[in-house]
């Protein structure tokens, strides 16, 4: 492919990824050079979005005091650009700026993502301009929005005003080397060193990963409203202890990545700019996110441990790379009929079905996760090795299966097909690598159970076939009607949660066999019978699942659980196979029987009959 600056017949420049860059990204990799290509394209994209925002500006941009903060901001940014272009570049390429300008453009086109008034959203440009002017040492005077008593100055910090109103304005002035923020409720004078904390001034928190000439500066983002996706949020300040934990964990995770993921680390050194911490979640269920509009920014919950944080950074930076690629080269064709809902597919890392584009994002991210655990299992502390083997085995299987699902999909573009082919080639090379028996078995069980739960929740056999099956059951037929094996319908169940409970229990078992997770309620969404299964108590688990499924309101996930409990007994092989492969049939027929007769069939007998 051509180098990044190409010219059309109308002499308008556009970006194209280099052939070497495409090869690298298609293989799931990417060093600092390819990140530089993506960043150049992202810069142009943001400039175009700013131009679109200016072209779409209107009278609605005027604040309550009659000031057009957006217009003032544009003029001040032009001054700052002339005097300190490097400062404006830094502000332009901040992940938060990318998020803001994208949401603002969507807003002028009718899509609203936050409760702030229009003039507050548009006026954020004035806050960016004020920050640029402060950093450039300019003398200036500009009106900026106040958000619930806070005045964010991106990349610098946040002024705190005693203002109870949710939205308002303040003046930011720079004179004689001092910067003041003035509103009707008070005045804040920024410290001469803007990195120093004051009662009315909160600086941006920064940390450094590594040392020497290859040290990596990183923002630990607590303040900017546009640090979170897909909607802005209020500042969430870290306590001193939490900040120390994050800084220490990031530093240690960086050392792990330098050792186990050197190429990814080099890419992150160039492209990872900020991490926005969020509160801790249940163990082994961290949450993290990125947005294609916020290149270089990651939100992440407080990590359980250093290896998990390292895997999270790899996962999210994979999203960042693919998002940058997709801004240049789409991987999928648009649906033939925009009015028709897009078909949804199974994603083994989600509770819900996903469209093709979302599935490709997941494949790419978990390909990176698989690659990380493949290396880390050989370098981890001995106590962590079984868990690392499990993670590699689980995600290797899930990525491989999903790559085969999308391979040859009719809506893949030529670039999309190339990416899928290259990832498939790489993943195939990992399939023969040996994994110890117990982590491998647990990973296979977790993968199969997740898929079975997904089917039980989201798939429905044809209604007529279910009616025929109910009648056949009542009439004592030897086997169900063949119509029940027809392709089921996808009926998304929006209430599904905790489809990963088998995997979470396996992680606990490998890392803390006698821990509190064994008690009822120890893992959210996990049935106590699942803990029995984990310890080989199949008869007890079978009895528990049978009781659940014989009562009203039985959870759909209990059908695959019963299948796992029956699998140890050859007498129940047909029932076990049916429940592990097609639990939706048992659920549908049982529900229909209950609706028709008011009674539920014995679940083991029903499954055996359906599996005949």
């Amino acid at each position: 492919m051509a180098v990044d600056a190409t010219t059309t017949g109308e002499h308008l420049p556009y970006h194209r990824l280099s052939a070497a860059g495409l090869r690298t990204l298609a293989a799931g990799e990417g060093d600092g050079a390819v990140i530089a290509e993506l960043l150049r394209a992202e810069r142009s994209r943001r400039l175009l979005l700013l131009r679109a925002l200016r072209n779409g500006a209107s009278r609605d941009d005027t604040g309550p005091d009659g000031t057009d903060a957006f217009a003032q901001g544009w003029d001040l940014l032009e001054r700052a650009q002339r005097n300190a272009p490097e400062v404006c570049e830094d502000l332009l390429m901040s992940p938060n700026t990318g998020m803001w300008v994208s949401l603002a453009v969507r807003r002028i086109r009718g899509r609203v993502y936050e409760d702030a008034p229009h003039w507050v959203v548009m006026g954020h440009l004035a806050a960016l301009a004020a920050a640029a002017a402060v950093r450039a040492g300019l003398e200036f005077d500009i009106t900026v929005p106040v958000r619930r008593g806070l005045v964010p100055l991106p990349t610098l910090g946040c002024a705190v005003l005693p203002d109870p109103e949710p939205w308002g304005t303040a003046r930011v002035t720079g004179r004689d080397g001092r910067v003041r923020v003035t509103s009707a409720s008070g005045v804040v004078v920024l410290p001469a060193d803007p990195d120093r904390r004051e009662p009315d001034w909160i600086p941006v928190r920064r940390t450094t990963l590594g040392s020497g000439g290859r040290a990596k500066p990183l923002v630990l983002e607590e303040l900017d409203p546009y640090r979170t996706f897909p909607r802005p949020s209020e500042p969430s300040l870290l306590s001193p202890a939490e900040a120390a934990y994050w800084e220490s964990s990031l530093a240690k995770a960086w050392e792990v990545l330098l050792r186990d993921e050197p190429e990814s680390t080099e890419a992150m050194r160039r492209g990872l700019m900020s991490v926005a911490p969020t509160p801790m979640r249940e163990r082994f269920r961290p949450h993290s996110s990125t947005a294609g509009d916020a290149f270089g920014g990651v939100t992440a919950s407080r990590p359980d441990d250093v290896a998990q944080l390292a895997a999270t950074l790899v996962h999210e930076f994979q999203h960042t790379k693919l998002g940058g690629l997709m801004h240049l080269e789409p991987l999928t064709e648009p649906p033939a009929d925009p009015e028709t809902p897009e078909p949804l597919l199974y994603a083994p890392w989600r509770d819900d079905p996903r469209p093709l584009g979302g599935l490709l994002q997941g494949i790419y991210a978990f390909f990176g996760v698989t690659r990380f655990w493949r290396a880390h299992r050989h370098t981890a502390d001995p106590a962590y090795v079984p868990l690392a083997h499990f993670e590699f085995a689980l995600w290797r299987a899930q990525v491989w299966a999903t790559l085969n699902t999308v391979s040859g999909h009719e809506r893949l573009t030529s670039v999309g097909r190339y990416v899928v082919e290259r990832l498939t080639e790489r993943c195939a090379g990992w399939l023969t690598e040996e994994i110890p028996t117990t982590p491998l078995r647990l990973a296979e069980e977790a993968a199969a159970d997740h898929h079975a739960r997904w089917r039980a929740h989201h798939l429905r056999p044809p209604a007529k076939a279910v009616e025929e099956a109910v009648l056949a059951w009542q009439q004592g037929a030897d086997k169900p009607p063949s119509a029940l094996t027809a392709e089921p319908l996808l009926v998304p169940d929006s209430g599904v949660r905790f489809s990963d409970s088998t995997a979470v229990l396996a992680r606990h078992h490998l890392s803390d066999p006698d821990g509190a997770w064994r008690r009822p309620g120890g893992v959210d969404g996990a049935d106590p019978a699942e803990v029995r299964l984990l310890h080989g108590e199949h008869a007890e688990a079978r009895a528990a699942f049978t009781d659940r499924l014989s009562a009203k309101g039985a959870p759909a996930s209990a059908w695959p659980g019963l299948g796992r409990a029956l699998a140890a007994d050859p007498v129940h092989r047909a029932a076990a196979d049916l429940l592990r492969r097609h639990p939706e049939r048992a659920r549908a027929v049982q529900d229909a029987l209950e609706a028709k007769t008011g009674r539920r069939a014995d679940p083991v007998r029903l499954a055996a009959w359906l599996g005949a």
Side-chain angles (χ1 to χ4, degrees):
M1 301 181 72
V3 294
D4 74 309
T6 311
T7 305
T8 68
E10 298 176 352
H11 304 290
L12 296 174
Y14 64 93
H15 289 271
R16 296 289 298 274
L17 193 65
S18 69
L22 179 58
R23 280 195 304 271
T24 302
L25 289 175
E29 304 293 347
D31 57 10
V34 74
I35 298 304
E37 290 188 65
L38 296 178
L39 284 170
R40 284 195 293 270
E42 183 62 24
R43 177 183 183 276
S44 294
R45 181 176 181 272
R46 292 188 187 178
L47 290 173
L48 289 170
L49 287 171
L50 281 170
R51 176 59 66 178
L53 200 58
R54 187 181 189 189
N55 292 343
S58 66
R59 296 179 191 174
D60 294 338
D61 304 338
T62 302
D65 59 356
T67 301
D68 187 343
F70 181 86
Q72 286 188 2
W74 193 278
D75 292 341
L76 183 55
L77 271 176
E78 288 185 334
R79 280 183 59 203
Q81 174 78 25
R82 290 192 293 270
N83 285 272
E86 71 287 351
V87 167
C88 290
E89 283 295 306
D90 185 54
L91 274 160
L92 175 67
M93 297 311 295
S94 163
N96 309 325
T97 300
M99 198 68 208
W100 164 72
V101 70
S102 298
L103 293 182
V105 168
R106 291 186 179 101
R107 187 174 184 117
I108 65 174
R109 294 176 179 174
R111 296 172 63 186
V112 178
Y113 287 83
E114 58 177 311
D115 62 352
H118 186 75
W119 59 268
V120 170
V121 176
M122 296 294 286
H124 188 72
L125 185 73
L128 288 164
V134 171
R135 293 176 59 184
L138 302 181
E139 294 203 344
F140 68 98
D141 186 352
I142 191 171
T143 299
V144 300
V146 179
R147 293 171 168 265
R148 296 182 172 89
L150 302 175
V151 180
L153 296 179
T155 71
L156 286 173
C158 187
V160 182
L161 295 167
D163 191 342
E165 295 299 320
W167 316 110
T169 60
R171 300 290 294 179
V172 182
T173 57
R175 293 283 186 277
D176 302 322
R178 300 311 302 267
V179 178
R180 288 175 170 80
V181 180
T182 307
S183 76
S185 63
V187 179
V188 174
V189 179
L190 270 64
D193 177 6
D195 289 334
R196 191 177 77 241
R197 178 93 179 243
E198 299 284 357
D200 53 7
W201 173 253
I202 307 170
V204 167
R205 190 184 298 275
R206 305 177 193 279
T207 189
T208 301
L209 309 181
S211 59
R214 302 182 68 76
K216 165 65 184 170
L218 188 73
V219 171
L220 203 54
E221 184 60 80
E222 311 162 89
L223 303 173
D224 197 293
Y226 295 98
R227 73 192 184 281
T228 53
F229 331 117
R231 290 173 176 80
S233 61
E234 297 301 307
S236 180
L237 301 182
L238 298 173
S239 68
E242 276 294 287
Y245 179 86
W246 271 98
E247 290 170 3
S248 172
S249 296
L250 284 165
K252 293 174 182 175
W254 191 252
E255 293 301 318
V256 169
L257 291 172
L258 284 170
R259 180 190 66 205
D260 296 344
E261 283 271 314
E263 186 170 347
S264 291
T265 308
E266 188 57 37
M268 288 184 206
R269 192 191 308 278
R270 182 67 184 267
L272 179 64
M273 302 172 199
S274 66
V275 173
T278 62
M280 190 171 191
R281 292 162 59 99
E282 182 185 1
R283 182 162 175 77
F284 296 123
R285 281 183 170 138
H287 179 266
S288 60
S289 63
T290 54
D293 295 323
F295 193 108
V298 170
T299 65
S301 59
R302 189 184 196 269
D304 298 333
D305 53 55
V306 168
Q308 185 189 83
L309 179 56
T312 294
L313 293 177
V314 171
H315 177 279
E316 295 305 337
F317 202 69
Q318 289 287 109
H319 280 307
T320 295
K321 292 187 298 184
L322 193 66
L325 172 60
M326 292 170 69
H327 282 161
L328 292 170
E329 299 281 359
L331 303 187
T332 62
E333 302 285 358
D337 181 3
E339 302 299 321
T340 302
E342 188 174 351
L344 301 176
L345 302 164
Y346 170 62
W349 32 79
R350 300 271 303 210
D351 290 323
D352 56 334
R354 298 291 289 160
L356 178 61
L359 195 58
L360 291 173
Q361 279 280 4
I363 288 171
Y364 201 79
F366 280 97
F367 177 90
V369 170
T370 308
R371 185 189 61 218
F372 168 77
W373 289 113
R374 175 176 178 258
H376 188 64
R377 65 199 178 116
H378 298 301
T379 62
D381 291 337
Y384 208 96
V385 167
L387 182 58
H389 278 301
F390 169 84
E391 300 290 359
F392 172 60
L394 177 65
W395 299 121
R396 177 183 69 175
Q398 302 292 47
V399 170
W400 176 253
T402 314
L403 281 167
N404 282 279
T405 296
V406 302
S407 179
H409 196 288
E410 60 183 10
R411 284 186 47 225
L412 289 174
T413 63
S414 58
V415 173
R417 287 193 299 273
Y418 180 56
V419 170
V420 169
E421 289 166 1
R422 292 281 285 142
L423 293 179
T424 302
E425 179 184 325
R426 292 283 311 284
C427 192
W430 300 340
L431 296 179
T432 58
E433 296 189 15
E434 292 188 4
I435 298 170
T437 301
T438 297
L440 180 61
R441 174 181 57 80
L442 292 173
E444 290 171 346
E445 289 178 0
D449 185 66
H450 188 282
H451 193 197
R453 288 177 188 236
W454 187 91
R455 293 186 67 95
H457 278 286
H458 299 296
L459 298 185
R460 298 289 182 272
K464 184 171 178 54
V466 173
E467 291 176 11
E468 293 175 5
V470 168
L471 182 60
W473 171 266
Q474 291 179 312
Q475 293 176 343
D478 293 337
K479 59 183 179 181
S482 59
L484 202 61
T485 64
E487 188 70 21
L489 305 175
L490 177 64
V491 183
D493 179 353
S494 60
V496 184
R497 296 185 67 199
F498 307 126
S499 299
D500 64 343
S501 64
T502 299
V504 172
L505 287 171
R507 293 179 177 112
H508 279 290
H509 177 67
L510 289 169
S511 60
D512 183 18
D514 300 316
W517 59 272
R518 295 166 58 108
R519 298 197 296 264
V523 173
D524 285 348
D527 192 299
E530 294 181 66
V531 179
R532 291 185 175 277
L533 278 177
L534 190 60
H535 292 95
E537 299 170 3
H538 293 88
E540 295 83 352
R542 171 188 165 180
F545 282 124
T546 299
D547 288 345
R548 306 269 193 287
L549 293 165
S550 297
K552 292 185 177 182
S557 60
W559 288 108
L562 178 59
R564 292 172 60 205
L566 294 173
D569 187 349
V571 173
H572 295 295
R573 178 167 297 171
D577 287 349
L578 183 283
L579 294 179
R580 290 184 298 172
R581 296 176 183 174
H582 302 288
E584 71 279 4
R585 297 179 192 171
R587 181 190 180 190
V589 174
Q590 180 78 298
D591 289 350
L593 276 168
E594 182 179 14
K596 185 175 181 179
T597 67
R599 299 187 303 275
R600 294 175 71 83
D602 176 270
V604 177
R605 285 185 57 231
L606 179 62
W609 181 74
L610 290 170

